């Protein structure tokens, strides 16, 4: 079966052999085209997590240039826990099959947002399936063909590592930083 993009901006809507199974998603781009691929695709270490809010991530200074092959350094080696956040948008990125979440500090749809991603890597399979199942309880379908803006923001709990991306079209207009939590696990109560 060939893959065909039918969604907007390649975020979702790519035909997959098993679209409902987030653990069997097939990326449409090779790893070599993924910005800082090796730095993003790591397990979350078993170290103490720092409690932060979305506002903290939005305040982190951004570099004007991030080397596409840069290893993790500084805050990117730390684990963070965001207990008070709201999920506004979610989809599967067709390019790399990571599950993309946009979170904010409040439920307001116009609130500034941060990107959080759960990678396609096998160690995150259950986290991806759990998020999908939790969203289904709220009547929201997330798979390789469905996703997008949630009708109402949902409270979420997140554990993940900081990651500095680069400035590109990465989500909605409300995304206000190139800092992400990636890899991350999103729990929807």
């Amino acid at each position: 079966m060939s893959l065909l993009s039918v969604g907007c901006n390649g975020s979702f809507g790519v035909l997959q052999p098993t679209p409902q199974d987030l653990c069997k998603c097939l990326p449409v781009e090779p790893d070599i085209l993924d910005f800082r691929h090796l730095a993003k695709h790591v397990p979350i270490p078993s170290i103490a997590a720092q409690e932060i809010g979305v506002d903290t991530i939005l305040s982190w200074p951004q570099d004007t240039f991030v080397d596409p092959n840069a290893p993790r350094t500084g805050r990117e080696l730390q684990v963070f826990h965001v207990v008070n956040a709201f999920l506004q948008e979610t989809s599967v990125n067709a390019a790399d099959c990571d599950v993309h979440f946009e979170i904010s500090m409040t439920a307001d749809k116009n609130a500034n947002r941060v990107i959080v991603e759960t990678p396609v890597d096998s160690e995150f399979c259950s986290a991806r399936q759990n998020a999908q199942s939790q969203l289904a309880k709220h009547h929201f379908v997330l798979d390789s063909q469905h996703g997008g803006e949630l009708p109402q923001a949902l409270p979420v709990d997140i554990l993940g590592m900081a990651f500095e991306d680069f400035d590109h079209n990465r989500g909605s207009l409300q995304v206000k930083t190139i800092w992400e939590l990636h890899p991350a696990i999103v729990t929807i109560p």
Side-chain angles (χ1 to χ4, degrees):
M1 167 181 261
S2 66
L3 302 176
L4 172 68
S5 177
V6 293
C8 61
N9 297 328
S11 296
F12 61 93
V14 171
L15 297 179
Q16 293 279 334
T18 53
Q20 290 77 24
D21 190 340
L22 293 180
C23 297
K24 292 185 180 176
C25 185
L26 302 171
V28 297
E29 292 184 359
D31 294 349
I32 196 165
L33 294 180
D34 189 22
F35 180 78
R36 297 184 67 204
H37 181 81
L38 294 177
K40 283 195 281 193
H41 294 270
V42 298
I44 298 172
S46 296
I47 59 175
Q50 296 179 45
E51 299 287 332
I52 62 169
V54 173
D55 57 336
T56 301
I57 302 169
L58 289 165
S59 75
W60 289 340
Q62 301 175 104
D63 289 319
T64 53
F65 174 77
V66 180
D67 185 315
N69 298 308
R72 285 183 173 272
T73 60
R75 109 172 10 101
E76 292 183 321
L77 297 171
Q78 300 170 6
V79 176
F80 298 94
H81 181 229
V82 181
V83 71
N84 293 315
F86 290 87
L87 177 61
Q88 300 281 4
E89 188 276 346
T90 186
S91 58
V92 177
N93 184 321
D96 62 7
C97 283
D98 289 355
V99 178
H100 172 280
F101 302 93
E102 290 184 19
I103 63 166
S104 60
M105 186 103 173
T106 69
D108 180 353
K109 285 295 187 179
N110 294 313
N112 292 339
R113 300 179 185 181
V114 170
I115 301 233
V116 173
E117 294 193 44
T118 302
V120 69
D121 309 329
S122 61
E123 67 256 37
F124 294 101
C125 177
S126 63
R128 295 159 66 85
Q129 290 172 327
N130 286 339
Q132 183 182 45
S133 173
Q134 292 162 347
L135 285 164
K137 291 177 185 174
H138 294 276
H139 310 289
F140 188 86
V141 177
L142 173 66
D143 62 30
S144 66
Q145 296 178 359
H146 301 91
E149 190 76 14
L150 277 72
Q152 290 185 318
L154 296 173
V156 290
D157 184 274
I158 300 152
L159 181 72
M161 297 178 73
F163 178 78
E164 191 171 18
D165 204 346
F166 72 104
D167 193 13
H168 64 288
N169 182 9
R170 302 168 40 249
S172 71
L173 295 175
Q174 287 79 18
V175 174
K176 299 298 183 187
T177 181
I178 61 174
W179 281 101
E180 303 178 349
L181 292 183
H182 190 304
I185 296 170
V186 175
T187 304
I188 304 152

